[in-house]
Amino acid sequence: AQSVTQLGSHVSVSEGALVLLRCNYSSSVPPYLFWYVQYPNQGLQLLLKYTTGATLVKGINGFEAEFKKSETSFHLTKPSAHMSDAAEYFCAVSEDSGYSTLTFGKGTMLLVSP
Amino acid sequence: DVKVTQSSRYLVKRTGEKVFLECVQDMDHENMFWYRQDPGLGLRLIYFSYDVKMKEKGDIPEGYSVSREKKERFSLILESASTNQTSMYLCASSGRGRSYTFGSGTRLTVV
């Protein structure tokens, strides 16, 4: 069975600071990994995904994530936070087999202060 | 612009009512999903469908049913609404590549 752990329900940064949101996964087969963002009162929007190939994945809005198989991690980073990055972020995993569905972490709320 | 449309943004229903939440996608996706989202619990899968007239239980199907009579439409049914079903409900669809496209959500309050 697959699972996702996001460390920290809330992360606070100052505008211009590095953003680091942590995600660890568990999967018995090669995983597909995703980060989604949710702004208030909206659905989820795909930030980036890893399926195969290059382990450093670049997404929208300057975010990127690195798949580290040895650490079973897929942490999300952005070099410089902007006020508009304040939102809730969800890491998700899907297995590369059959009718696998997405399993989500519990989410991390990113707070950005001026 | 491709999209997943949920028929209502906000709903208030009474305990015991039968509630229908509708979801339509225009991307010709085979797969459709219903999740509920609660603070501190993330998204939990209720039901999903890989084809017309086909359905599979997710992690929390109790108290819910679904219907998929057409490829583009996936309905979630609360047979007898209860207060513990007050939540945000998110519909999603996916084709190949496993990326989900989400609707804007329906915030359901059961009183």
Side-chain angles (χ1 to χ4, degrees), chain A residues 35 45-50 56-66 74 76-78:
Chain A
W35 276 99
Q45 178 184 1
L46 180 67
L47 270 180
L48 49 80
K49 67 177 181 181
Y50 168 80
L56 182 62
V57 180
K58 295 186 183 299
I60 62 172
N61 301 338
F63 285 93
E64 62 182 37
E66 187 172 10
F74 191 57
L76 182 70
T77 61
K78 182 174 181 178

Side-chain angles (χ1 to χ4, degrees), chain B residues 20-107:
Chain B
F20 293 85
L21 303 182
E22 306 289 344
C23 176
V24 177
Q25 52 97 0
D26 64 0
M27 295 165 283
D28 200 34
H29 282 168
E30 293 81 10
N31 314 314
M32 298 189 73
F33 309 84
W34 276 105
Y35 286 86
R36 66 176 281 177
Q37 181 180 14
D38 301 288
L41 297 179
L43 280 75
R44 294 179 291 168
L45 182 63
I46 305 172
Y47 267 97
F48 59 101
S49 170
Y50 286 114
D51 202 352
V52 176
K53 297 189 184 295
M54 176 271 183
K55 61 184 178 183
E56 294 286 345
K57 292 180 179 179
D59 299 318
I60 52 164
E62 296 78 18
Y64 303 94
S65 62
V66 290
S67 172
R68 194 169 182 197
E69 296 296 319
K70 294 184 178 181
K71 188 176 185 180
E72 67 271 18
R73 186 180 297 270
F74 192 36
S75 302
L76 179 69
I77 304 158
L78 284 66
E79 297 291 344
S80 177
S82 64
T83 55
N84 64 13
Q85 292 178 310
T86 291
S87 186
M88 170 72 89
Y89 290 87
L90 291 166
C91 176
S93 71
S94 74
R96 299 178 184 180
R98 303 182 188 272
S99 295
Y100 288 22
T101 300
F102 282 85
S104 298
T106 296
R107 188 168 294 280

Side-chain angles (χ1 to χ4, degrees), chain A residues 32 34 36 38 41-44 46 49 88 90 94-95 97-102 104-106, chain B residues 9-10 33 35 37 40-43 45 48 50 88 90 97-100 102-105 107:
Chain A
Y32 290 175
F34 304 81
Y36 284 84
Q38 186 180 34
N41 298 314
Q42 295 187 25
L44 275 69
L46 180 67
K49 67 177 181 181
E88 190 160 23
F90 292 91
S94 175
E95 294 182 343
S97 64
Y99 291 136
S100 180
T101 60
L102 274 185
F104 287 85
K106 294 184 177 181
Chain B
R9 291 298 305 272
Y10 300 94
F33 309 84
Y35 286 86
Q37 181 180 14
L41 297 179
L43 280 75
L45 182 63
F48 59 101
Y50 286 114
M88 170 72 89
L90 291 166
R98 303 182 188 272
S99 295
Y100 288 22
F102 282 85
S104 298
R107 188 168 294 280

